[in-house]
Amino acid sequence: MSCDFLALAQPGVQKLSPYVPGKPVDELARELDLDPANIVKLASNENPLGPSPKVLEAIRAELAELTRYPDGNGFELKTRLAARCGVSTAQVTLGNGSNDILDLVARAYLAPGLNAVFSQYAFAVYPISTQAVGAQGKVVPAKDWGHDLEAMLAAIDANTRVVFIANPNNPTGTWFGPDALARFLERVPENVLVVLDEAYIEYAEGDELPDGLQYLDAHPNLLVSRTFSKAYGLASLRVGYAISTQQVADVLNRVRQPFNVNSLALAAACAALDDSGYLAEGRRINDLGMVQLEEGFRRLGLTWIPSKGNFIAVDIGRDAAAIYQALLAEGVIVRPVGGYGMPNHLRISIGLPEENARCLEALAKVLARG
Ligand SMILES: Cc1ncc(COP(=O)(O)O)c(C=O)c1O
């Protein structure tokens, strides 16, 4: 009889459920025999603008070097990020997406017997990375769908090494302000690494959200993680980064795969940083789309969770699984969030105006069926 390799897996891994991504357009097209060109995907908080021409040009210029390994230290990108963030290059860690950063933190700082604190409805990768290394995830009940920072402080114990907080949070879009972050950081024990996940911060800059980088000097136990996947439009290339103390960056660098960010991603990210017009247009489209969806929901008599991200969670008022399926049949892919414990909500990424309109139309149609 062959061995049970599930039973042989590390106990935390045995109990893991794999991350469920948004349904790809081609998969739905195959399943329902639809024309991919007529499918609207608003399921993975991607940038609806398509890639920046400057990014495409930078990638083309890099193609001739594909036979070579990338710069394992990401010198050029780290230099630009350090200048942009007002830190030294030694404080920058590059990741294969910011998910990689979250995983590096877990591998470096968590182990069986230790725990990470995060909120109910927090990003799905926090429990996955935590459990994968055999550590315990301490889930703190949310308050009004958002992080209850006071309760999270109270949940920290002698075995806590990491706190994951996202601002804004995915999938809820909720956020906290500078005062709440300052009060939190002042009281977190100094041996607990606070991972402030700012994957969506570019959509909220100038709003009531704090800029995590401004708290680094006063709080050596803070790590700010950011990504090129959202506002910079590079989700497929997988590039993210962390800013922390030099010491924490040095630790993460020890567990990092040698060439975790590929050369096309490095070149694209450098070009994306220079393309401020793309960022501004993305922000403009997002702000408009948010209002468009909110107005649409209002007309449909639906409520939603106010969001500062490039997505919004709408309350269908009953189990949303059937509505999700019915939307698929209409060629509209959104994200069910039952797996997050939000069975009545659908998370809808903000698209182009015509994509948002298609989504609202389809939603009206399937809701009208009762
Ligand atoms: C809150 C949050 N953090 C991190 C990520 C990871 O993104 P990436 O690995 O593409 O940088 C996401 C992606 O959806 C997210 O929503």
Side-chain angles (χ1 to χ4, degrees):
M1 206 177 105
S2 64
C3 250
D4 182 353
F5 275 92
L6 175 60
L8 288 172
Q10 194 254 92
V13 175
Q14 287 180 36
K15 290 189 224 99
L16 267 183
S17 306
Y19 180 79
V20 183
K23 197 176 195 59
V25 168
D26 286 344
E27 188 178 301
L28 180 64
R30 270 195 311 275
E31 283 173 5
L32 298 186
D33 200 18
L34 298 175
D35 177 357
N38 289 333
I39 294 176
V40 171
K41 183 184 176 208
L42 301 174
S44 300
N45 301 346
E46 294 152 337
N47 196 315
L49 287 181
S52 138
K54 290 181 181 158
V55 161
L56 293 179
E57 197 183 312
I59 290 174
R60 273 193 291 272
E62 196 58 39
L63 286 174
E65 299 297 319
L66 276 191
T67 50
R68 311 235 174 249
Y69 282 102
D71 173 2
N73 284 319
F75 175 81
E76 178 74 24
L77 180 56
K78 276 193 189 174
T79 304
R80 288 173 188 234
L81 284 171
R84 178 77 59 118
C85 299
V87 298
S88 74
T89 51
Q91 292 178 262
V92 184
T93 306
L94 298 181
N96 190 255
S98 58
N99 278 336
D100 191 24
I101 300 288
L102 305 173
D103 227 36
L104 293 178
V105 166
R107 279 169 53 215
Y109 288 103
L110 296 173
L114 302 176
N115 69 64
V117 169
F118 45 84
S119 178
Q120 181 186 21
Y121 314 128
F123 182 46
V125 169
Y126 308 158
I128 292 177
S129 292
T130 301
Q131 244 179 276
V133 295
Q136 182 206 354
K138 284 186 93 175
V139 183
V140 177
K143 193 166 148 191
D144 300 329
W145 300 107
H147 291 49
D148 183 345
L149 293 177
E150 289 298 314
M152 290 178 77
L153 275 173
I156 292 172
D157 63 31
N159 296 321
T160 305
R161 291 290 178 278
V162 178
V163 179
F164 290 108
I165 48 178
N167 200 30
N169 182 52
N170 170 26
T172 56
T174 47
W175 68 96
F176 48 82
D179 292 348
L181 179 63
R183 271 197 309 275
F184 181 78
L185 289 172
E186 270 154 30
R187 287 152 65 203
V188 173
E190 55 189 19
N191 67 338
V192 172
L193 185 67
V194 177
V195 175
L196 180 60
D197 179 344
E198 294 189 334
Y200 300 95
I201 197 70
E202 295 84 1
Y203 290 106
E205 246 156 17
D207 278 343
E208 333 73 272
L209 272 81
D211 170 356
L213 299 177
Q214 290 182 2
Y215 298 75
L216 284 165
D217 283 346
H219 301 284
N221 58 336
L222 175 63
L223 175 148
V224 177
S225 80
R226 292 186 176 178
T227 183
F228 283 90
S229 298
K230 311 294 176 184
Y232 289 100
L234 304 183
S236 171
L237 287 173
R238 314 303 303 125
V239 51
Y241 62 97
I243 310 288
S244 65
T245 59
Q246 189 174 331
Q247 192 178 48
V248 168
D250 170 55
V251 168
L252 299 185
N253 198 39
R254 296 175 191 208
V255 287
R256 184 178 65 82
Q257 291 290 319
F259 304 104
N260 62 335
V261 184
N262 71 72
S263 55
L264 303 185
L266 289 171
C270 287
L273 273 180
D274 287 342
D275 195 350
S276 55
Y278 181 86
L279 208 62
E281 178 60 4
R283 173 77 192 259
R284 191 184 71 83
I285 287 285
N286 197 63
D287 289 349
L288 281 176
M290 187 69 86
V291 172
Q292 185 186 0
L293 286 180
E294 287 177 347
E295 282 172 355
F297 298 154
R298 199 173 287 119
R299 278 198 303 275
L300 292 171
L302 300 173
T303 58
W304 61 91
I305 305 172
S307 167
K308 292 281 187 200
N310 65 344
F311 57 87
I312 183 164
V314 61
D315 188 351
I316 301 298
R318 57 189 142 112
D319 193 320
I323 300 295
Y324 165 68
Q325 291 296 340
L327 287 173
L328 288 182
E330 297 296 322
V332 175
I333 312 175
V334 298
R335 190 69 156 265
V337 281
Y340 278 96
M342 299 168 68
N344 290 3
H345 285 82
L346 291 174
R347 194 197 66 189
I348 302 179
S349 304
I350 311 295
L352 297 172
E354 56 275 24
E355 295 175 316
N356 302 327
R358 262 282 304 279
C359 175
L360 287 170
E361 249 169 61
L363 194 56
K365 187 171 163 187
V366 303
L367 286 172
R369 288 181 202 147

